[in-house]
Amino acid sequence: MRHFLSERDLTADEFRSIVNRGSEFRRMWEANEPHALFPNSTVAMIFDMSSTRTRLSFEAGITQLGGKAINLSRSETQMGRGESIEDTARVLSQMVDLVLMRTASHESIEQFASMCTVPVMNGLTDLLHPCQMLADMQAYFDHRGDIKDKTVAWIGDGNNVCNSYINIADLLGFKLRIACPVEFQPDSNVLERGKSNTTVMQDVTAACEGADLVVTDVWSSMGKEDEQEQRKRAFADYCVTSELMALAAEDALFMHCLPAHRGEEVTAEVIDGPQSVVWEEAGNRMHAQKALMEFLLNNR
Ligand code: CP
Ligand code: NVA
């Protein structure tokens, strides 16, 4: 039985095969080919924080696989009244086939998974956003082929999505240049483990020079709302503009996990421009996660 709490829970071959299977699911969905491979499977989804894409993509995805999703927010369950994560995990394990969890602290999902006898999937924590990486790589592979030996520029906050990029740079063998303010660097443990493929700098132009993929995310992630004003000042020079994109490779792609703030981390011209694949990236969430669920269900 396998969990998917971090990109590093998969081998590089497994990661690539899930990404490729995601592309196949997308093609089947576009051709209206049914793929209800897991009738009667149930996914419990626990959301401690807001979500549009993650919730919708898992719910629609398991429906297409022939199963069903049950949404549980902490406040509506006994967890909101103090029932422990461990006890909840034991109960859920008796009733559902998979659990998806979005929670502020990465330790909570690890604690939950340690007591859960069905696969647990990470739908974002303060540390990582691994499902997003499957969708991003599906978009990259579909447009440009394998990302091995390519260069990716990350512009902005060293946040959960950035940490996940460090993990997959190591796993899939690409170079990652992160441009971020010194006080908003990625997690030091993640960085230490991924240091052979990742360089951190403050110069956005040096990070973008010749890059094959340029990625950014919001300046203030969920849970950082009270730092918004300080962050706006610190990140003022960390905006992906057309001038910055012009420094990247001619065929460079632009990605953003969304939701986006036009005029902050990216200009409207870039996110709504020809190099941006953000809508396909978002749509891929559903197909990549169907491939993930298939992998986890088959490995029970
Ligand atoms: N990208 C992403 O995870 O979006 P949501 O917060 O809407 O789920
Ligand atoms: N870094 C963002 C990603 C949202 C999908 C956040 O954690 O809010």
Side-chain angles (χ1 to χ4, degrees), residues 102 124 129 159-161 217-218 221-222 257-259:
R102 169 170 286 194
L124 182 147
H129 196 2
N159 63 14
N160 42 10
V161 181
D217 188 12
V218 289
S221 285
M222 289 181 275
C257 63
L258 306 176

Side-chain angles (χ1 to χ4, degrees), residues 35 56-67 286 290 293:
H35 40 280
L56 200 53
S57 56
F58 269 102
E59 191 154 348
I62 191 68
T63 305
Q64 288 164 28
L65 290 179
M286 182 170 76
K290 281 185 287 188
M293 290 190 280

Side-chain angles (χ1 to χ4, degrees), residues 1-3 38-44 62 66-70 91-100 116-121 293 296-300:
M1 199 273 296
R2 308 276 294 270
H3 295 305
F38 296 95
N40 307 319
S41 299
T42 308
V43 184
I62 191 68
K68 187 178 167 41
I70 299 171
V91 172
L92 260 64
S93 299
Q94 315 290 313
M95 298 181 188
V96 301
D97 302 285
L98 294 162
V99 179
L100 166 76
C116 200
T117 57
V118 298
V120 178
M121 302 172 286
M293 290 190 280
L296 295 173
L297 288 169
N298 285 340
N299 276 286
R300 280 177 299 179

Side-chain angles (χ1 to χ4, degrees), residues 18-282:
I18 292 171
V19 167
N20 291 330
R21 181 68 169 151
S23 301
E24 206 176 317
F25 275 134
R26 183 162 190 138
R27 186 200 54 72
M28 289 163 88
W29 177 75
E30 284 170 355
N32 226 349
E33 281 173 34
H35 40 280
L37 303 168
F38 296 95
N40 307 319
S41 299
T42 308
V43 184
M45 306 193 296
I46 303 172
F47 282 97
D48 289 348
M49 296 185 290
S50 313
S51 169
T52 299
R53 279 145 288 267
T54 305
R55 176 169 175 193
L56 200 53
S57 56
F58 269 102
E59 191 154 348
I62 191 68
T63 305
Q64 288 164 28
L65 290 179
K68 187 178 167 41
I70 299 171
N71 191 48
L72 303 165
S73 73
R74 193 179 280 255
S75 59
E76 288 165 354
T77 63
Q78 297 289 6
M79 273 189 290
R81 297 178 59 248
E83 187 169 19
S84 72
I85 282 192
E86 290 87 346
D87 287 0
T88 308
R90 285 179 159 174
V91 172
L92 260 64
S93 299
Q94 315 290 313
M95 298 181 188
V96 301
D97 302 285
L98 294 162
V99 179
L100 166 76
M101 197 167 190
R102 169 170 286 194
T103 181
S105 116
H106 194 76
E107 288 78 49
S108 296
I109 198 172
E110 285 182 336
Q111 211 180 341
F112 187 94
S114 73
M115 296 306 289
C116 200
T117 57
V118 298
V120 178
M121 302 172 286
N122 179 352
L124 182 147
T125 63
D126 56 346
L127 188 69
L128 298 172
H129 196 2
C131 289
Q132 186 70 48
M133 295 305 103
L134 295 172
D136 284 24
M137 289 304 101
Q138 188 181 321
Y140 192 87
F141 285 28
D142 282 347
H143 282 273
R144 301 283 183 260
D146 204 289
I147 200 159
K148 187 168 168 44
D149 298 329
K150 302 283 183 185
T151 300
V152 177
W154 174 275
I155 308 299
D157 192 14
N159 63 14
N160 42 10
V161 181
C162 179
N163 291 331
S164 282
Y165 262 94
I166 298 174
N167 280 345
I168 60 163
D170 220 27
L171 196 65
L172 303 180
F174 62 82
K175 293 292 165 209
L176 177 63
R177 297 187 203 132
I178 298 170
C180 65
V182 271
E183 65 272 41
F184 296 106
Q185 304 227 5
D187 180 82
S188 55
N189 294 323
V190 173
L191 198 52
E192 176 57 29
R193 205 170 158 197
K195 65 184 173 202
S196 49
N197 285 293
T198 296
T199 320
V200 180
M201 55 191 82
Q202 275 69 56
D203 184 348
V204 290
T205 59
C208 276
E209 200 86 53
D212 301 291
L213 169 64
V214 179
V215 196
T216 189
D217 188 12
V218 289
W219 290 341
S220 299
S221 285
M222 289 181 275
K224 306 286 183 199
E225 289 79 4
D226 53 355
E227 295 175 14
Q228 255 165 10
E229 287 316 309
Q230 175 207 352
R231 284 171 172 265
K232 273 187 183 168
R233 285 190 294 276
F235 286 105
D237 296 329
Y238 293 82
C239 174
V240 181
T241 59
S242 299
E243 292 71 36
L244 210 52
M245 284 303 291
L247 300 173
E250 212 175 324
D251 67 346
L253 298 175
F254 171 78
M255 292 190 198
H256 189 311
C257 63
L258 306 176
H261 293 89
R262 288 172 177 76
E264 292 190 7
E265 74 275 7
V266 61
T267 62
E269 206 181 1
V270 171
I271 196 168
D272 300 319
Q275 287 170 287
S276 169
V277 291
V278 298
W279 310 118
E280 185 182 326
E281 181 189 0

